[in-house]
Amino acid sequence: MTSLPSRAQVVIIGGGIAGCSVAYHLAELGWTDVVLLEQGQLSCGTTWHAAGLVGQLRSTESMTKLIKYSTDLYARLEAETGFGTGWKQCGSVSVARTPERMTQLRRTASAARNYGIQAEVITPREAGELWPVMRTDDLVGGVWLPGDGKANPSDLTQALARGAQRRGVLVMERVRVTGVTVRDGVVRGVDTTEGHIETEVLVNCAGQWAKELGRMAGATVPLHSAEHYYVVTEPIPGVRPDLPVLRDPDGYAYLKEEVGGLVVGGFEPDAKPWGMDGIPHPFEFQLLEEDWDQFAIIMENAIQRVPALESTGVRMFYNGPESFTPDNMFLLGETPEVRGLFVGAGFNSAGIASAGGAGRALAEWIVNGEPTGDLWPADIRRFARWAGNDTWLRDRVTETLGLHYAMSWPDKELETARPLRRSPVHHLLAEAGARFGSKMGWERVNYFGPATPSTFGRPGWQPYVDAEVAACRNAAALFDQTSFSKFVLKGPEAMEALQWLCTADVDVELGRVVYTGLLNDRGGYESDLTVTRVARDEYLVVTGSAQTTRDFDHISKGLGDRRAVLVDVTGAYAVFGVMGPSSRRILQSVSKSDFSAFEFGTSRLVDLGHATVRATRVTYVGELGWELYVPAEFAVTVHETLMGTGELTQAGYYAIEAMRIEKGYRAWGRELGPEITPAAAGLRFTCKKSGYRGARHALGSPSRRVVSIVLDDPAAHLWGGESLLSDGVPVGYVTSAAHSPTLGRSVALGFVTEVSPEGGVTLEKVEVEVAGDLYSAQISLKAPYDPTSARVKS
Ligand SMILES: Cc1cc2nc3c(=O)[nH]c(=O)nc-3n(C[C@H](O)[C@H](O)[C@H](O)COP(=O)(O)OP(=O)(O)OC[C@H]3O[C@@H](n4cnc5c(N)ncnc54)[C@H](O)[C@@H]3O)c2cc1C
C-alpha cells in the first residue's frame, strides 16, 4: 500500500460517489495534489446499495442544470475512463392519480422545458404504452421525461475515482480520519489511522458520517440518517430492460427494471430515523434489518400500479440508511465556522443523480474561492448552529424523506419539529388567530384567519390576506418582522469595509438608512440589505431572515484585516413594521418623539409608550411606515402599546408579499441572486460610480431583465415558477407572484430574456403558462402600482 503523504493541497474524506466526483472535478480543473481517504472500500457506505435512478428535474433552474450536467457526465464517463457505469438513458414516466397531482405534473413539465429539459404531458393510454405492465385505468395522466436515466452507482463511483487517479489524485482505502486540526478558525490537517496529513483544504464528503466529522472541526453539518428501502423482485413477464423508470408519487412508489424483475422503492410519508446514537463502526457494505411494516405503504401501492407484483416473489429486501437534511436539499460549500473546510453531503436519496453536478460545483468553489453559479438552494449557509441539534434533526427527517413524493403545494409548510424559534410576541399573535409559516427556524405569521385547504388555484386564505392588504393601503397595519437578520458592524474601519462591500454610498450622516446590494466579483447579488449608520464607527445591518449565516459569512470575509467587528444581534431585537398612510398619526399618538419631521431613509431612537426603541423610516410595501427595532425584553410591552391604539390591523407575510410585488420591490433568492447584476435587476440607482466589489460587471449590458407582470384575466392565479412565452417560444419565467387585491388580478415579477443591446425589454406582452393553459399578460420595467401617486390621483 502507498504510504500516507505528510501533506496535500486537498484532502477529501469519503470514497462514496460524492467524494469521488469532487476528486474527479478537482483533477479536471488542474488540482491534482489531492488525497481521497476512505475508511473502508470505495462506495462501501451508502452508495453501493442505491437504486441508481437519475431524475433531472428539480424545483429551481440552477439545481436542474446541476443534475442535467450529471446526466451529460455519466453518458460520457465510460468512453473517457474505460470503466462501465451502467448509464442508460431510459427516460422516466411520472403518473398522476388525482387531478391535483396532474396539475402539479403539468406545472413541472412547463418548468422543465424552461430549464432546457425535454418533457411531455401524456395521457394514461400513452403512459401505458411506455410502461405496458402497469395498470392505467385509475390514472389521470402523466409526464414523460426522455432525458432521465439510471446507472450503476458503484460502477459510476469507480469510474469517477479512476478518472481522478489518472490525473494524479491519490485514492487511499482503509484510512480512517479520526480528528481534524483547526487553528485560528482555519483547517490545518487531519489525523488518520495511518498518521497525520497537513492540508489547507479539507472536503467532508463522508455521507451520513459527515455530521460527526463536522463536529470534530467545530462545524455544523445538519443531517440525520433515516432508513430507506427497496425490494428487487423475481422476473415478471413483459418487464423489458428498456423500460423507463416509473414514478407513482400518489402511491409513494418508484419502479425500474432489474434483470427482468423490478426494483420497487419509494418515499413513505412518515419515515423512520436511524443512528440516534451515532453510526456504528465499522459499517461497510452493510444493510439494516428488513421492516415490512414500514415498507407496506409502498408495496401495497406498487401492487395497485403493477398487479403482477401480487404474485411475484421478492429476491432481496434492501434497507440502507441514508442521510437527510432539514429541507430535503443537499449541503454544499465552505462551512462558515471553519475556513478551508468544505462539505458535500446530505444527499436525501438523490446522491447518485446529484453527485456529478454537485462534485463539479464544489470543486469550482474550492478552486475559485467562491461559487461560480447560484448554489443558494444547496448552500450549507442556509442553516445555522441551531440546526445541528440531534433531537431536532431526528424529528425533522421523519418528514423530509417523504417530501420527494408529497404534493408540492405552493403554500406548503413543513410541520415537524416546530415551533422552534419564536418572536417574543408569538403567543399574542397565536391568540389573534395567526397562521404561521417557518423560515430559518423562525415562526412567522403568514396571515390571520382560519386554516384553509391547499390548492393550485386561488387559495381559501386569499380574502383574509386581501383584507390585510386593504387595511395597510387604506389605514395602517402591524407586521411582526422579528425574524429579520440583524448585525452590528463596529470599529474605526467599519465604514471603509462597508464602502467596499456595498454598491451604495454608505459614508452618510448619522441616522441615515441606505438600501444597498452586496455583489460578488462577477457583479451578481450576494445579498440586498439596509445599513443604518448609528454612530461614526457603527452600522446596523438588516437583511432577510433566511440569510443570517450567509450574509454574516460574506461580510466577515469581506472585512479582511480591517479594524471592525461584526456581531449577530438577530435574537436581541424584535421588529415591528407599522405601515400605511395612518402610521404617522398612530405612532405619534403613543410617542412624545416628533414623527412629523421624520424623513424617509432616516432612523432614530424614539419613545413608544414606556419603552425606547429605534424607529427607521423605510418600507417594503410601498406605504408610509416605520420599522421599530425593539430590544427583546420590551417587545410585549411595545406590542401592547401599539395594539392598544385600537387602530392597527395585524397582518402577515402573505400581505407583505402581495404589496411588495405590486410595488415591484425585488427579493433576494427570487429576483436577485448571484447571477443577477444591478443592471439586470433594474437597480442601477443603488450603485455608486466605482470603488465597490463587483463594480466592473455590475452595470454591463444584461442578458435578461427583471420585469413586472400583470395578468389580463382576473380569475387566473399565479404562484411563481410559471413559464413566460412569446409566440409559443419560452422567454423567461415568473419568480414571485401574488394576487393583487389593489389591482384585482395576479401580479408577478420574473425574468425575460428578450433584451435590447441597450438593456431595455423588447416585449410588452407575454403569455404565462399556468399548468398547460396560456394567459396573456402585460410586462413592464415599471411597477404595476405606485401607492402614493394612486392616492394623489384618487
Ligand atoms: C435504499 C436507497 C436507495 C437509493 N436510491 C437512489 C437513487 O435511485 N438515486 C439517487 O440519486 N440516490 C439514491 N440513493 C441515495 C444515494 O445512495 C446517496 O445519496 C449517495 O450514495 C450518497 O453518497 P455519498 O458519497 O454522499 O455517501 P457515501 O456513499 O456514504 O460515502 C461516504 C463515505 O465516507 C466514508 N467515511 C465516513 N467517515 C469516514 C472517515 N472518518 N474517514 C474516512 N472515510 C470515511 C464512508 O465509509 C463512506 O464510504 C439511495 C439511497 C438508499 C439508501
Side-chain angles (χ1 to χ4, degrees):
M1 185 179 134
T2 325
S3 62
L4 196 76
S6 60
R7 65 152 281 119
Q9 189 178 10
V10 182
V11 172
I12 299 170
I13 310 171
I17 192 161
C20 291
S21 179
V22 174
Y24 174 91
H25 287 97
L26 280 172
E28 197 176 46
L29 291 168
W31 279 34
T32 53
D33 183 11
V34 176
V35 178
L36 183 148
L37 303 177
E38 167 53 52
Q39 62 184 357
Q41 287 170 257
L42 292 185
S43 85
C44 74
T46 302
T47 298
W48 70 278
H49 56 65
L53 275 55
V54 180
Q56 300 176 87
L57 197 56
R58 290 295 179 267
S59 56
T60 64
E61 182 181 8
S62 55
M63 291 298 115
T64 305
K65 282 185 174 156
L66 185 138
I67 296 191
K68 179 150 190 335
Y69 167 77
S70 293
T71 60
D72 297 343
L73 172 70
Y74 300 164
R76 67 174 150 82
L77 207 53
E78 182 166 347
E80 183 189 318
T81 62
F83 259 73
T85 59
W87 169 250
K88 196 167 210 168
Q89 189 188 322
C90 54
S92 79
V93 176
S94 293
V95 293
R97 299 186 186 195
T98 65
E100 292 77 20
R101 179 70 70 173
M102 196 56 221
T103 302
Q104 182 183 321
L105 290 185
R106 284 184 199 282
R107 293 176 65 91
T108 306
S110 166
R113 289 193 292 268
N114 229 327
Y115 303 155
I117 307 269
Q118 244 184 301
E120 202 183 310
V121 174
I122 53 176
T123 62
R125 192 175 56 76
E126 289 166 326
E129 282 164 11
L130 286 161
W131 231 88
V133 280
M134 89 168 140
R135 175 182 162 191
T136 57
D137 61 343
D138 58 347
L139 294 180
V140 181
V143 164
W144 164 233
L145 291 155
D148 280 3
K150 55 185 181 180
N152 180 320
S154 295
D155 292 351
L156 259 182
T157 307
Q158 294 290 350
L160 288 165
R162 179 51 64 98
Q165 281 169 309
R166 278 199 181 156
R167 292 191 163 102
V169 170
L170 182 60
V171 174
M172 299 188 74
E173 295 182 314
R174 305 239 163 268
V175 181
R176 185 172 193 221
V177 172
T178 52
V180 180
T181 317
V182 176
R183 227 179 11 257
D184 302 329
V186 181
V187 156
R188 310 288 171 164
V190 289
D191 294 321
T192 80
T193 43
E194 301 295 318
H196 182 82
I197 314 184
E198 257 180 52
T199 187
E200 55 254 30
V201 178
L202 181 62
V203 192
N204 178 357
C205 289
Q208 60 179 345
W209 294 262
K211 181 170 63 180
E212 277 315 313
L213 276 152
R215 281 181 186 156
M216 286 181 197
T220 309
V221 183
L223 52 80
H224 197 291
S225 302
E227 296 190 6
H228 190 33
Y229 324 91
Y230 64 84
V231 296
V232 185
T233 74
E234 301 288 355
I236 299 175
V239 171
R240 308 179 314 253
D242 61 344
L243 266 192
V245 168
L246 176 65
R247 293 188 176 86
D248 180 5
D250 296 313
Y252 314 105
Y254 64 77
L255 301 102
K256 72 157 193 168
E257 184 275 341
E258 190 154 300
V259 264
L262 287 174
V263 166
V264 180
F267 296 93
E268 72 277 19
D270 195 3
K272 190 173 160 195
W274 182 79
M276 269 70 84
D277 301 320
I279 315 294
H281 181 71
F283 192 85
E284 198 179 325
F285 293 119
Q286 214 165 310
L287 292 173
L288 307 176
E289 276 185 22
E290 297 180 5
D291 187 342
W292 280 97
D293 288 342
Q294 182 73 13
F295 191 63
I297 188 169
I298 295 168
M299 199 62 208
E300 284 160 14
N301 275 286
I303 291 172
Q304 177 178 339
R305 187 61 38 236
V306 181
L309 282 170
E310 181 110 64
S311 53
T312 305
V314 167
R315 275 214 309 256
M316 180 75 190
F317 187 116
Y318 285 84
N319 176 5
E322 159 72 332
S323 48
F324 291 85
T325 63
D327 61 358
N328 207 27
M329 273 302 302
F330 53 89
L331 304 168
L332 210 67
E334 188 173 22
T335 64
E337 297 103 334
V338 182
R339 296 280 148 85
L341 175 61
F342 290 79
V343 175
F347 281 98
N348 302 287
S349 199
I352 309 307
S354 313
R360 178 171 77 163
L362 194 55
E364 287 177 354
W365 192 331
I366 292 166
V367 170
N368 292 295
E370 62 175 20
T372 50
D374 182 3
L375 297 175
W376 175 233
D379 193 326
I380 194 166
R381 293 171 298 173
R382 70 192 186 278
F383 294 110
R385 282 241 186 242
W386 56 262
N389 177 295
D390 281 326
T391 312
W392 184 78
L393 285 165
R394 179 202 61 202
D395 292 348
R396 173 49 67 85
V397 299
T398 57
E399 183 180 11
T400 46
L401 177 143
L403 290 178
H404 281 286
Y405 286 0
M407 282 294 295
S408 49
W409 297 114
D411 60 355
K412 184 172 175 61
E413 296 285 349
L414 298 189
E415 288 163 14
T416 47
R418 285 179 58 194
L420 185 62
R421 303 175 80 188
R422 290 181 235 191
S423 152
V425 299
H426 179 269
H427 59 294
L428 301 177
L429 306 173
E431 278 165 23
R435 293 289 134 205
F436 293 96
S438 79
K439 196 166 227 178
M440 193 66 165
W442 284 102
E443 292 295 311
R444 311 195 318 166
V445 180
N446 284 339
Y447 67 98
F448 290 87
T452 61
S454 287
T455 169
F456 287 107
R458 183 145 305 156
W461 43 255
Q462 192 65 59
Y464 305 100
V465 175
D466 289 358
E468 291 172 14
V469 171
C472 184
R473 292 261 184 254
N474 299 324
L478 173 61
F479 302 91
D480 178 23
Q481 296 171 288
T482 297
S483 64
F484 273 155
S485 306
K486 312 159 203 98
F487 313 134
V488 168
L489 181 69
K490 188 171 170 58
E493 291 175 343
M495 190 274 285
E496 285 82 352
L498 278 185
Q499 204 61 311
W500 164 243
L501 285 167
C502 295
T503 59
D505 183 5
V506 297
D507 187 8
V508 289
E509 58 199 63
L510 302 196
R512 275 274 158 208
V513 186
V514 180
Y515 168 69
T516 180
L518 306 187
L519 307 184
N520 52 40
D521 292 337
R522 306 186 305 282
Y525 275 93
E526 288 297 308
S527 187
D528 73 323
L529 43 73
T530 60
V531 295
T532 302
R533 193 165 200 181
V534 295
R536 273 226 71 69
D537 63 347
E538 183 176 332
Y539 289 84
L540 173 66
V541 179
V542 179
T543 182
S545 312
Q547 288 132 258
T548 319
T549 312
R550 181 189 167 100
D551 287 6
F552 190 91
D553 186 54
H554 180 85
I555 297 170
S556 325
K557 281 183 178 147
L559 293 180
D561 44 21
R562 287 195 189 86
R563 288 176 300 145
V565 286
L566 186 67
V567 182
D568 178 5
V569 295
T570 300
Y573 294 92
V575 182
F576 300 129
V578 180
M579 300 283 153
S582 312
S583 57
R584 189 193 304 267
R585 185 179 52 72
I586 295 169
L587 286 170
Q588 193 63 80
S589 74
V590 288
S591 177
K592 296 265 173 272
S593 305
D594 183 8
F595 276 80
S596 66
F598 204 136
E599 241 186 276
F600 183 79
T602 63
S603 175
R604 63 174 99 122
L605 292 178
V606 297
D607 70 272
L608 214 102
H610 292 163
T612 302
V613 308
R614 171 167 291 285
T616 295
R617 198 179 145 201
V618 288
T619 181
Y620 197 40
V621 294
E623 297 292 343
L624 172 74
W626 281 264
E627 283 172 1
L628 305 173
Y629 290 80
V630 183
E633 67 273 30
F634 292 104
V636 171
T637 303
V638 168
H639 199 268
E640 285 168 353
T641 302
L642 291 169
M643 288 310 290
T645 62
E647 294 204 65
L648 286 164
T649 301
Q650 297 205 73
Y653 273 88
Y654 286 170
I656 294 180
E657 184 71 354
M659 287 187 279
R660 72 119 184 141
I661 297 171
E662 287 178 343
K663 188 66 179 69
Y665 289 142
R666 282 78 168 120
W668 194 86
R670 311 270 203 86
E671 291 75 41
L672 307 182
E675 302 297 288
I676 303 300
T677 62
L683 295 175
R684 284 169 183 270
F685 70 92
T686 62
C687 299
K688 51 197 178 229
K689 280 208 175 71
S690 61
Y692 60 94
R693 184 169 178 193
R696 268 185 62 204
H697 303 287
L699 303 179
S701 197
S703 58
R704 53 181 171 174
R705 288 292 310 260
V706 175
V707 293
S708 283
I709 302 154
V710 181
L711 220 55
D712 291 335
D713 182 345
H717 194 88
L718 300 183
W719 285 101
E722 295 85 0
S723 305
L724 302 177
L725 307 171
S726 174
D727 295 328
V729 178
V731 291
Y733 60 91
V734 174
T735 45
S736 312
H739 174 68
S740 159
T742 320
L743 301 176
R745 58 199 63 234
S746 275
V747 290
L749 287 159
F751 294 122
V752 294
T753 48
E754 301 299 289
V755 176
S756 69
E758 300 74 44
V761 171
T762 55
L763 295 170
E764 283 173 8
K765 285 184 79 85
V766 288
E767 277 123 30
V768 187
E769 188 179 352
V770 183
D773 296 325
L774 296 181
Y775 295 89
S776 62
Q778 315 294 321
I779 61 169
S780 169
L781 292 172
K782 291 211 182 81
Y785 180 68
D786 180 355
T788 17
S789 62
R791 204 160 292 119
V792 172
K793 273 186 232 147
S794 58

